[in-house]
Amino acid sequence: MNKIIKNTIILTVITLISGLLLGLAYEVTKDPIAQSEENAKREAWQAVFPDADLGSFEETDVDSAVADQVISDLGIDATIDEVCTVDGGDTGYVITATDGEGYGGDIQVVVGITADGTVSGISFLSISETAGLGMNAQNESFYGQYVGVQTDHFYVSKDGGEGEPIDAISGATITTRAVTGAVNAALGYFQNAF
């Protein structure tokens, strides 16, 4: 019985020390991680509007009613995460959208849309697709299909549909659909909110 009590006390002490160390590690790393995420976000904004001064981006509130309606109308598993105006909307908007139907999970993209509705750029904040297949979505040869296009809607060409066709990445149609879903969510939000 004494051995059981001794082992219980030892395990309790180890658990308490481990918990304290994990808490300390969290406190030490949370600010640098938040700063890193903020820097990545600002780099993505600059990537989709390279001629805009970083000071011209202003975050605005997401209209959740509009976002929910757009997602519902598209019939996809997506969210509108963040919206920024560029020069108060005179130059355009930066809309961050996440599609939850990627092969490897969520795909989060930043979409630049000019004031006239033309896609000015696409940048990825989060993607964890299969190497050599779905990760090719980050290649300009793929995402460049969206850039410079003014449309109400994109569709994956092998699926058929209306709007502007997007050629699927070979062996990664699911990824292509998810990226297209996120871009369409951003376009839909732009068309209904501004």
Side-chain angles (χ1 to χ4, degrees):
M1 183 101 146
N2 288 339
K3 201 172 203 177
I4 293 174
I5 293 173
K6 181 180 174 184
N7 287 340
T8 302
I9 291 171
I10 290 171
L11 289 174
T12 302
V13 169
I14 290 171
T15 302
L16 287 173
I17 292 171
S18 297
L20 289 172
L21 289 174
L22 282 173
L24 178 64
Y26 170 76
E27 286 299 319
V28 168
T29 60
K30 76 176 182 179
D31 289 339
I33 289 171
Q35 185 60 48
S36 177
E37 289 172 351
E38 184 68 21
N39 291 343
K41 182 173 68 170
R42 291 188 181 281
E43 287 173 15
W45 295 349
Q46 197 76 58
V48 300
F49 276 104
D51 296 334
D53 179 59
L54 197 53
S56 65
F57 295 94
E58 184 178 330
E59 293 183 56
T60 63
D61 292 334
V62 174
D63 185 329
S64 59
V66 171
D68 292 345
Q69 186 61 53
V70 166
I71 300 305
S72 175
D73 290 348
L74 290 171
I76 58 175
D77 176 19
T79 58
I80 302 297
D81 305 318
E82 191 171 54
V83 178
C84 289
T85 61
V86 184
D87 296 321
D90 292 340
T91 300
Y93 300 87
V94 175
I95 301 172
T96 304
T98 302
D99 190 294
E101 297 177 339
Y103 186 77
D106 292 350
I107 296 176
Q108 187 176 44
V109 298
V110 174
V111 182
I113 304 171
T114 63
D116 70 356
T118 302
V119 176
S120 64
I122 306 284
S123 185
F124 291 86
L125 283 181
S126 174
I127 182 170
S128 58
E129 300 297 279
T130 306
L133 294 172
M135 289 303 285
N136 288 334
Q138 295 179 325
N139 295 341
E140 199 276 331
S141 60
F142 171 70
Y143 71 78
Q145 297 178 82
Y146 303 96
V147 179
V149 178
Q150 183 179 27
T151 185
D152 291 335
H153 193 78
F154 291 98
Y155 71 93
V156 178
S157 57
K158 71 187 299 183
D159 294 342
E162 295 182 17
E164 289 294 318
I166 297 297
D167 292 330
I169 301 166
S170 181
T173 305
I174 293 171
T175 302
T176 305
R177 288 182 187 129
V179 173
T180 302
V183 173
N184 281 335
L187 269 175
Y189 185 85
F190 165 79
Q191 293 159 358
N192 288 280
F194 304 109

